């Protein structure tokens, strides 16, 4: 478990991936990734946890923009 947590953390930091993207790559649920990054990682590696937290907060702040873009693309494709 410890190895998985550190691998996912490194992936998120390197790629600026979302929880969903990381979950898909590592074959675990979003809930598992979220719990690993917010609860377990700070106990294992506080410095990495801080970096991951910054990425996750950035992704959360941008989430509504991504959703709007996806909806716009969806309706543009329907009208074609």
């Amino acid at each position: 478990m410890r190895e998985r947590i550190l691998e996912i953390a490194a992936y998120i930091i390197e790629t600026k991936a979302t929880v969903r993207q990381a979950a898909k790559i590592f074959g675990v649920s979003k809930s598992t990734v979220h719990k690993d990054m917010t609860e377990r990682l700070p106990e294992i590696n506080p410095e990495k946890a801080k970096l991951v937290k910054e990425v996750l907060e950035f992704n959360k702040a941008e989430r509504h923009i991504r959703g709007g873009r996806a909806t716009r693309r969806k309706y543009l494709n329907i009208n074609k």
Side-chain angles (χ1 to χ4, degrees):
M1 185 165 70
R2 180 184 170 98
E3 188 177 314
R4 179 193 72 217
I5 292 167
L6 293 173
E7 285 179 12
I8 293 173
Y11 178 77
I12 289 174
I13 293 166
E14 289 172 19
T15 64
K16 309 288 187 231
T18 63
V19 169
R20 229 175 246 235
Q21 291 166 335
K24 190 173 185 180
I25 293 293
F26 289 91
V28 295
S29 72
K30 295 181 304 181
S31 301
T32 299
V33 172
H34 189 267
K35 185 167 186 140
D36 285 351
M37 297 304 105
T38 59
E39 295 178 20
R40 296 178 181 135
L41 182 61
E43 295 173 5
I44 297 170
N45 189 329
E47 290 115 27
K48 258 192 185 176
K50 184 179 177 193
L51 295 173
V52 168
K53 185 177 180 182
E54 289 173 7
V55 173
L56 296 181
E57 285 178 357
F58 175 79
N59 287 338
K60 187 176 180 181
E62 248 194 13
R63 183 171 52 194
H64 68 284
I65 296 169
R66 289 188 192 127
R69 287 181 187 150
T71 302
R72 183 171 188 266
R73 282 193 305 269
K74 174 184 172 184
Y75 286 104
L76 285 175
N77 287 334
I78 288 173
N79 292 331
K80 284 185 179 182

